[in-house]
Amino acid sequence: MNSIKSVPARVLSRRPGHSLEAEREQFDKTQAISISKAINNQEVPVKEKHARRIILGTHHEKGAFTFWSYAIGLPLPSSPILSWKFCHVLHKVLRDGHPNVLHDCQRYRSNIREIGDLWGHLHDRYGQLVSVYTRLLLTKISFHLKHPQFPAGLEVTDEVLEKAAGTDVNNIFQLTVEMFDYMDCELKLSESVFRQLNTAIAVSQMSSGQCRLAPLIQVIQDCSHLYHYTVKLMFKLHSCLPADTLQGHRDRFHEQFHSLRHFFRRASDMLYFKRLIQIPRLPEGPPNFLRASALAEHIKPVVVIPEEAPEEEEPESLIEISTGPPVEEPAVVADLLDQTFGPPNGSVRDERDLQIETLKREVEALRAELEKMKLEAQRYVAQLKGQVNALEAELEEQRKQKQKALVDNEQLRHELAQLRAAQREGEQDRGLREEAERRASATELRYSRLKEKHSELINTHAELLRKNADTAKQLTVTQQSQEEVARVKEQLVFQMEQVKRESEMKLEEQSDQVEQLKRELEAKAGELQHAQEALSRTQQSGAELSSRLDTLSAEKAALSGAVQQREAELLAAQNLAREKEAVLSQAQQELQGRLAEKEAQEQGLWQRMLDEQFAVLCGAAGEAERILQDAVGKLDDPLHLRCTSSPDYLVSRAQAAVDTVSALERGHAQYLASPADASALVAALARFSHLAADTIINGAATSHLAPTDPADRLLDSCRECGARALELTQQLQDRQGVTKAQPGLVRGPLQGILQLGQELKPKSLDVRQEELGAVVDKEMAATSAAIEDAVRRIEDMMNQARHASSGLKLEVNERILNSCTDLMKAIRLLVTTSTSLQKEIVESGRGAATQQEFYAKNSRWTEGLISASKAVGWGATQLVESADRVVLHTGKYEELIVGSHEIAASTAQLVAASKVKASKHSPHLSRLQECSRTVNEMAANVVASTKSGQEQIEERDTMDFSGLSLIKLKKQEMETQVRVLELEKTLEAERVRLGELRKQHYVLAGGVGSPGEEEPSPPIATPRGGTKKPPLAQKPSVALRQDQQVQGAGMWRLPEGAAGPRLGHTP
């Protein structure tokens, strides 16, 4: 007989041990087998042992990673039965698995939702159930993640429920609504299942019916807890909020109560559920939340899972010993030994090998039986614990009911004491009634005596008639009092009888309630004694089970020692099969096949990446085309005619667009060289499309203020630019057109727009930049001098007015001149503050340069400052002249109002020009803004005093129509209408003339080079007329440059009647 006398060293080195990797591999294999057997296409319910192994697997790895790694690979979209059983297993895993399962399932919410949506759109019986089941699972996951105090099994104590609800009524309200939604999903699933099944008993015994009914066991467990929690929360809400507010909650709870009661009653009638679960019975009616004492009558429904019957088929252990390849391992090893050393003694097997195989089979059978006994013992212990918990819960409920009964008994005693007090009050009322009767009898006796006296004195003297009359009056009063006493007597009798009846009824009710409570207490005491006896029996059975488990563990240790001794003799030949050349060649062929598949996958991925990059490019080009089309459409949009823009802004946008063309060319070249990367081209195309569209829109807006010829050329350039850009985007959306695209063709039209924008920019001052600093100082000094002169002239005018006028005219003139004086003082303070701010700006901005160099560097800002100072000086002079004419009665009050508006606008222009380069946190800037507001207030005071003085001085003739006939009145009415129409026509003509004057002033203020050429420039100031003024009194003709207007012009606008400047707003 051939035998192996020594094991090779390389075999010993390859001998596997019980490492973590081997255990993990065995665990994964066990989980895969359990999942494949639990979730399949057979229309039978999921076996409990397979689901239990999956649940134990989640506790073993503290999560559901392995479960989801295999579940994702299941072909769920191919079979509705497979999806239904997957939902059932997932529900059991969520309820009984490890707490971390909830977070693992949160990552696969989208997969669960996709399965539900897929089968929800198909008209399949199981498909509709899967759609409803997935909604329930998603609701369950969301609820338990939001409220981690509630485990997925929904089993918490009342203390945890109180803590989760808190004391905030809003939180309690929201938690109740979420539990209602949770219960709706559970009931919807049960209704959908029962709707597809016939109510016959035979249906629940068929495999197809049991496949649909099996998940309802978890639904019953969830619903029992949810019902109990909603009852608790509803009573708590009713203790905090009025009943009318919770009417909707009560209606929803009643609807769910009747649905749940119908569901429990229908399920308890089926034979399938009778052997698997003990379903509680709900009361006939819902709890009365309006009565707080009804909470003591509520009994928590307890679901009991009875002990399962042993399964007939051979159980499978969690560590597979006798299934799959390990069963065939001895045969494989024997074949390898036969091939290597030849068969021993011909084909006759060694007796030792037969003994080893026999012992191994016995060991496997004992292991399976031991594992089965362990599982049964664990299940039995879990059931006993569940029963103990249920009994403890019932005992706690009985204690609460006992306490409630004691409280009710105290209340009844209190009510009985109140009734006795009422009875004593009734006795007092009875004494009062007797007293009234005695008084009535005394009154009757007195009446009889008076009647006898009246009969005796009836024939006496007339003097006694007066006494008789008095006696008659007393008699009538006595009769009235007698009637009143009789009526009071009847009322007291009726009240006494009513109080007596109510007292007797309450005493009877209280005696009945006390007897009923005594009977209930006796019954509860008996039930409590039975529960204690059952608990003692359960403890005895648990002790027996523990002793039996100790015996089985000792047997297991002995058997494992024997098995290890036998397996040590067979480990020498386990790795010999790896040395065969056939295995190596097969592995080489597999590797070559995998390599070919890998190359094919890489080629497909490369092509897919190219397609994705081109799709991204097409999307970006399409979006750019829509942006450009929208911009080109603005060229012919009549609503766009009201939009304007400055040439400087157009030049900046066009220059930026020209710069992006180079980046677009580089991105295009890079994409042609490497089609797998279109990021540079997409980024450049997005920036180019936005800047080109912005250039086209601002070009059209600039043309609205430009002369006709430059405006037409600018619009043509914009259209050409849009056409070239659209052609480029269309080429980039075609695979063949991408190579032919020429982004550089767009540069020409953009440069044309840039050149036209440069031509449309207004000319600068005809002053050398070296002289700007001197001009600024000179203008600011001249403005201060003009304001000082204006103040002196106003004082002189006030003195003259005091000598030349008196009475009302003197009062009006003094009020007007005082307001003008205050205005001039405010303007003088504003000019002084502006000068200080100007010096601060120059000192902070010039650095190492001189003051003249700073002014020359910022020539545009300097020109705006010069223009603003000239406007202030001219406005002050004009206001003084208007006031002089008004005081001398040679001018109009309207001139003074217009002058006030003019000087307010001029000071606003000076503040805007000074604010451009000032720091936000400068104290001089804050004082300047405060002075500007003071000037506006003083100007408003001038206008108000002028208008009030005008109303006081002007005489209004009273209209006397007494001597006019109807014909004359009609004639004068027609003449007045003619006069009104003439005045309206004259007013319209003057407004048109005012607009033309302003336009001409805009042209002159823009510094036009030649009279025949018109260049639009945003309006700054309007000339007052053709009269020649002194240098300081003339309206300044220096125009702000475009960038100054954009930065500092602001939104200042005077009223329609003012003749002052309107500072335009450029986009």
Side-chain angles (χ1 to χ4, degrees):
M1 177 171 55
N2 297 330
S3 62
I4 301 175
K5 297 181 179 180
S6 62
V7 181
R10 58 182 177 179
V11 175
L12 291 175
S13 63
R14 295 179 184 177
R15 182 175 299 172
H18 294 284
S19 63
L20 293 176
E21 295 180 358
E23 290 182 1
R24 181 64 190 180
E25 183 178 359
Q26 185 65 26
F27 172 75
D28 292 342
K29 184 177 180 182
T30 306
Q31 288 293 303
I33 294 172
S34 300
I35 292 172
S36 62
K37 289 184 178 181
I39 307 174
N40 51 42
N41 292 325
Q42 299 178 5
E43 195 174 5
V44 294
V46 177
K47 290 187 177 181
E48 188 65 27
K49 61 179 181 179
H50 302 318
R52 188 185 304 114
R53 289 173 186 169
I54 298 172
I55 293 170
L56 291 176
T58 62
H59 288 280
H60 176 74
E61 66 173 356
K62 295 181 176 57
F65 176 77
T66 304
F67 170 76
W68 277 107
S69 62
Y70 288 111
I72 288 298
L74 295 174
L76 299 179
S78 63
S79 173
I81 298 176
L82 195 69
S83 302
W84 172 254
K85 299 178 78 171
F86 164 74
C87 294
H88 183 195
V89 173
L90 180 58
H91 195 174
K92 294 175 75 69
V93 169
L94 282 172
R95 276 190 54 83
D96 303 328
H98 194 271
N100 293 335
V101 170
L102 199 63
H103 298 282
D104 294 338
C105 294
Q106 173 66 15
R107 304 188 188 99
Y108 297 93
R109 285 177 60 91
S110 58
N111 301 83
I112 301 173
R113 186 180 293 105
E114 289 174 1
I115 294 299
D117 294 340
L118 171 66
W119 289 111
H121 294 306
L122 302 178
H123 298 287
D124 185 85
R125 296 174 67 86
Y126 271 103
Q128 298 299 322
L129 296 179
V130 170
S131 177
V132 176
Y133 211 160
T134 53
R135 285 198 293 272
L136 169 59
L137 294 175
L138 293 174
T139 304
K140 187 178 185 68
I141 294 171
S142 301
F143 178 83
H144 293 291
L145 286 175
K146 186 176 181 180
H147 303 284
Q149 303 91 340
F150 294 93
L154 284 171
E155 187 172 357
V156 296
T157 61
D158 292 341
E159 290 77 9
V160 176
L161 178 63
E162 291 289 335
K163 184 178 180 181
T167 58
D168 189 359
V169 68
N170 295 320
N171 295 336
I172 302 173
F173 194 92
Q174 182 64 26
L175 181 60
T176 308
V177 172
E178 292 175 0
M179 284 195 174
F180 281 155
D181 297 338
Y182 199 166
M183 178 74 82
D184 284 338
C185 294
E186 300 277 2
L187 294 176
K188 182 68 179 299
L189 178 61
S190 64
E191 291 173 1
S192 302
V193 171
F194 283 131
R195 194 182 301 116
Q196 292 189 10
L197 290 178
N198 188 4
T199 57
I201 300 178
V203 175
S204 63
Q205 299 301 316
M206 297 173 61
S207 60
S208 60
Q210 293 178 359
C211 184
R212 290 180 172 92
L213 292 173
L216 297 186
I217 296 176
Q218 284 72 43
V219 173
I220 293 171
Q221 292 175 324
D222 289 346
C223 289
S224 63
H225 293 295
L226 289 174
Y227 169 75
H228 175 65
Y229 299 153
T230 52
V231 170
K232 292 281 188 180
L233 293 175
M234 285 291 288
F235 273 108
K236 192 168 185 178
L237 280 177
H238 279 78
S239 65
C240 301
L241 296 176
D244 296 339
T245 306
L246 300 172
Q247 182 61 40
H249 273 44
R250 288 197 300 274
D251 295 342
R252 191 172 182 185
F253 177 83
H254 291 167
E255 183 180 354
Q256 289 186 353
F257 173 79
H258 294 298
S259 299
L260 182 63
R261 188 171 180 275
H262 177 69
F263 168 45
F264 280 3
R265 187 178 66 252
R266 191 170 181 181
S268 60
D269 294 338
M270 291 188 174
L271 296 177
Y272 176 71
F273 291 111
K274 288 184 178 180
R275 63 183 182 86
L276 295 177
I277 186 172
Q278 183 178 346
I279 303 173
R281 289 191 176 273
L282 298 181
E284 294 296 330
N288 185 9
F289 299 113
L290 303 178
R291 185 167 56 89
S293 60
L295 177 61
E297 301 173 2
H298 169 69
I299 300 176
K300 178 181 179 181
V302 180
V303 178
V304 180
I305 304 295
E307 182 181 358
E308 299 180 2
E311 300 177 358
E312 296 179 357
E313 60 182 358
E314 183 179 357
E316 299 174 3
S317 61
L318 292 176
I319 303 176
E320 292 188 7
I321 300 175
S322 61
T323 59
V327 177
E328 300 176 359
E329 185 177 356
V332 174
V333 173
D335 293 340
L336 293 175
L337 292 173
D338 293 342
Q339 293 177 6
T340 306
F341 303 103
N345 293 334
S347 60
V348 180
R349 307 186 79 181
D350 191 3
E351 182 179 357
R352 186 179 181 183
D353 295 336
L354 295 176
Q355 291 179 356
I356 290 172
E357 291 179 2
T358 303
L359 290 174
K360 189 173 183 179
R361 284 195 298 271
E362 292 178 357
V363 168
E364 290 171 355
L366 290 174
R367 282 185 179 179
E369 186 178 357
L370 179 61
E371 194 67 30
K372 182 178 179 181
M373 293 175 68
K374 277 186 178 181
L375 293 175
E376 290 179 355
Q378 291 176 357
R379 185 167 60 251
Y380 185 66
V381 170
Q383 290 176 359
L384 291 177
K385 289 182 179 179
Q387 292 178 1
V388 169
N389 293 333
L391 291 174
E392 289 178 352
E394 291 181 0
L395 180 59
E396 186 67 25
E397 290 294 332
Q398 295 299 329
R399 289 176 181 173
K400 291 182 180 179
Q401 290 183 3
K402 180 181 177 181
Q403 188 67 25
K404 185 64 178 176
L406 293 175
V407 173
D408 293 341
N409 193 10
E410 290 295 330
Q411 292 179 354
L412 291 174
R413 289 179 181 176
H414 181 66
E415 292 177 359
L416 181 60
Q418 291 179 351
L419 288 175
R420 289 177 178 174
Q423 187 175 5
R424 287 194 298 270
E425 291 178 357
E427 292 177 354
Q428 293 177 1
D429 293 339
R430 190 179 300 108
L432 292 175
R433 184 183 62 183
E434 293 175 354
E435 182 69 21
E437 289 178 353
R438 286 194 300 271
R439 289 182 181 179
S441 61
T443 304
E444 290 178 356
L445 180 60
R446 183 181 179 185
Y447 169 72
S448 62
R449 289 178 181 177
L450 288 174
K451 190 174 182 181
E452 292 175 357
K453 187 176 182 180
H454 174 69
S455 63
E456 291 176 357
L457 298 176
I458 194 170
N459 296 320
T460 58
H461 198 265
E463 187 178 357
L464 296 177
L465 291 176
R466 291 192 296 270
K467 295 180 180 180
N468 189 15
D470 295 336
T471 305
K473 291 179 180 179
Q474 292 178 2
L475 179 61
T476 55
V477 171
T478 304
Q479 289 177 351
Q480 291 178 357
S481 61
Q482 184 179 4
E483 293 175 356
E484 184 72 20
V485 169
R487 188 164 54 254
V488 171
K489 181 179 179 181
E490 293 177 357
Q491 291 179 355
L492 289 174
V493 170
F494 177 75
Q495 291 178 359
M496 284 299 299
E497 292 178 354
Q498 187 176 1
V499 169
K500 187 181 295 183
R501 287 195 300 270
E502 291 179 356
S503 300
E504 292 176 355
M505 292 175 62
K506 288 185 178 180
L507 288 174
E508 292 177 359
E509 291 179 357
Q510 291 174 359
S511 60
D512 294 339
Q513 290 179 359
V514 170
E515 292 178 358
Q516 185 178 0
L517 289 174
K518 288 180 179 179
R519 290 195 298 271
E520 291 180 356
L521 287 175
E522 293 175 358
K524 297 302 180 181
E527 293 178 0
L528 179 62
Q529 184 176 1
H530 291 308
Q532 292 176 353
E533 293 176 357
L535 180 62
S536 61
R537 291 195 299 270
T538 304
Q539 292 176 352
Q540 292 176 1
S541 61
E544 294 176 358
L545 286 174
S546 60
S547 60
R548 186 177 178 185
L549 286 174
D550 295 338
T551 306
L552 292 174
S553 60
E555 294 179 358
K556 177 185 176 182
L559 292 172
S560 60
V563 169
Q564 290 177 359
Q565 183 179 0
R566 298 298 183 184
E567 286 178 351
E569 299 175 357
L570 298 174
L571 290 176
Q574 286 184 352
N575 295 324
L576 294 178
R578 299 178 184 177
E579 300 176 1
K580 295 295 181 179
E581 295 180 359
V583 176
L584 291 176
S585 62
Q586 184 178 0
Q588 186 176 3
Q589 291 177 0
E590 290 179 358
L591 290 175
Q592 290 177 354
R594 291 180 182 177
L595 182 60
E597 291 178 0
K598 187 69 175 178
E599 292 177 353
Q601 289 179 0
E602 290 180 353
Q603 187 66 26
L605 290 175
W606 174 258
Q607 185 63 34
R608 182 180 177 183
M609 184 174 63
L610 293 180
D611 295 340
E612 289 178 353
Q613 291 294 320
F614 182 72
V616 171
L617 177 60
C618 289
E623 185 64 26
E625 182 179 1
R626 287 189 289 274
I627 294 172
L628 292 169
Q629 286 177 352
D630 180 68
V632 173
K634 291 291 190 300
L635 297 176
D636 299 325
D637 190 357
L639 298 177
H640 193 257
L641 293 175
R642 300 179 63 182
C643 299
T644 59
S645 180
S646 64
D648 283 313
Y649 187 71
L650 175 62
V651 168
S652 64
R653 295 291 87 192
Q655 185 63 46
V658 171
D659 295 339
T660 58
V661 176
S662 301
L664 187 63
E665 290 177 342
R666 290 194 297 271
H668 181 256
Q670 182 178 352
Y671 178 72
L672 292 180
S674 176
D677 185 12
S679 58
L681 180 57
V682 169
L685 181 61
R687 180 170 175 78
F688 167 75
S689 61
H690 284 284
L691 290 175
D694 197 8
T695 302
I696 293 171
I697 293 174
N698 284 282
T702 304
S703 68
H704 296 158
L705 292 178
T708 305
D709 187 22
D712 293 340
R713 287 190 284 118
L714 184 58
L715 287 175
D716 293 339
S717 299
C718 291
R719 287 192 175 91
E720 183 181 0
C721 177
R724 294 284 178 85
L726 289 173
E727 182 181 358
L728 175 62
T729 55
Q730 291 172 0
Q731 288 177 348
L732 292 178
Q733 297 181 50
D734 187 10
R735 287 186 182 274
Q736 298 179 357
V738 172
T739 57
K740 300 178 182 179
Q742 297 180 0
L745 297 178
V746 192
R747 186 181 285 107
L750 288 174
Q751 290 177 348
I753 296 174
L754 179 62
Q755 184 177 0
L756 287 172
Q758 293 287 355
E759 294 176 359
L760 289 174
K761 290 172 65 176
K763 305 301 184 292
S764 178
L765 273 174
D766 191 12
V767 179
R768 290 183 299 174
Q769 293 184 351
E770 293 80 2
E771 302 176 358
L772 286 176
V775 173
V776 171
D777 296 336
K778 180 181 178 181
E779 290 297 334
M780 296 298 292
T783 301
S784 300
I787 293 172
E788 294 291 342
D789 183 63
V791 172
R792 288 193 299 271
R793 289 182 62 185
I794 291 173
E795 291 178 354
D796 295 339
M797 284 187 287
M798 187 176 294
N799 295 327
Q800 293 176 5
R802 288 172 180 170
H803 291 89
S805 59
S806 61
L808 179 62
K809 291 185 179 180
L810 177 60
E811 180 184 353
V812 171
N813 291 336
E814 285 183 350
R815 187 162 61 246
I816 293 174
L817 292 176
N818 286 330
S819 61
C820 292
T821 302
D822 295 338
L823 177 59
M824 289 303 163
K825 291 180 180 178
I827 295 173
R828 181 171 57 188
L829 181 59
L830 183 138
V831 172
T832 304
T833 308
S834 176
T835 305
S836 303
L837 179 61
Q838 173 193 347
K839 292 179 181 179
E840 179 184 347
I841 293 171
V842 173
E843 291 299 327
S844 62
R846 67 186 181 89
T850 63
Q851 182 175 357
Q852 301 297 331
E853 291 176 352
F854 176 80
Y855 283 125
K857 181 180 179 182
N858 301 275
S859 60
R860 295 182 178 178
W861 174 72
T862 307
E863 293 168 4
L865 198 61
I866 293 171
S867 175
S869 61
K870 282 186 176 182
V872 172
W874 181 84
T877 305
Q878 189 67 22
L879 181 65
V880 172
E881 292 180 358
S882 300
D884 191 10
R885 286 194 295 271
V886 169
V887 171
L888 297 176
H889 305 291
T890 59
K892 299 179 180 179
Y893 289 96
E894 286 77 8
E895 295 179 1
L896 193 57
I897 295 173
V898 172
S900 300
H901 292 163
E902 181 73 22
I903 201 166
S906 301
T907 55
Q909 182 180 355
L910 178 60
V911 172
S914 302
K915 187 179 177 181
V916 171
K917 289 189 174 297
S919 174
K920 287 184 179 179
H921 307 289
S922 173
H924 293 290
L925 178 60
S926 301
R927 288 196 293 272
L928 181 63
Q929 292 174 345
E930 184 65 28
C931 293
S932 176
R933 288 192 288 270
T934 306
V935 169
N936 290 333
E937 293 176 0
M938 295 299 106
N941 291 336
V942 172
V943 173
S945 61
T946 303
K947 289 184 178 180
S948 63
Q950 183 181 7
E951 291 176 356
Q952 291 178 1
I953 292 177
E954 287 183 351
E955 296 180 357
R956 291 190 172 89
D957 297 333
T958 58
M959 299 181 183
D960 186 11
F961 304 110
S962 59
L964 297 179
S965 63
L966 180 62
I967 300 300
K968 290 182 179 181
L969 284 173
K970 189 65 177 178
K971 183 179 178 180
Q972 289 187 8
E973 180 184 352
M974 293 177 63
E975 291 176 354
T976 305
Q977 290 180 355
V978 171
R979 180 62 177 165
V980 168
L981 293 176
E982 290 176 354
L983 291 175
E984 288 179 351
K985 183 177 180 181
T986 305
L987 177 62
E988 188 64 28
E990 290 298 325
R991 284 178 175 170
V992 173
R993 184 172 180 274
L994 177 61
E996 295 297 329
L997 287 174
R998 285 174 175 169
K999 290 182 182 178
Q1000 185 63 23
H1001 172 70
Y1002 299 156
V1003 174
L1004 293 177
V1008 182
S1010 61
E1013 180 182 357
E1014 294 184 0
E1015 285 189 12
S1017 175
I1020 298 302
T1022 304
R1024 298 282 303 172
T1027 59
K1028 187 67 176 177
K1029 299 289 180 180
L1032 289 176
Q1034 287 184 350
K1035 186 73 173 181
S1037 61
V1038 181
L1040 287 177
R1041 298 292 295 269
Q1042 295 288 341
D1043 57 348
Q1044 296 169 356
Q1045 297 165 9
V1046 172
Q1047 296 174 1
M1051 292 293 292
W1052 300 94
R1053 183 177 181 87
L1054 292 176
E1056 284 293 334
R1062 294 187 183 181
L1063 301 181
H1065 173 68
T1066 57

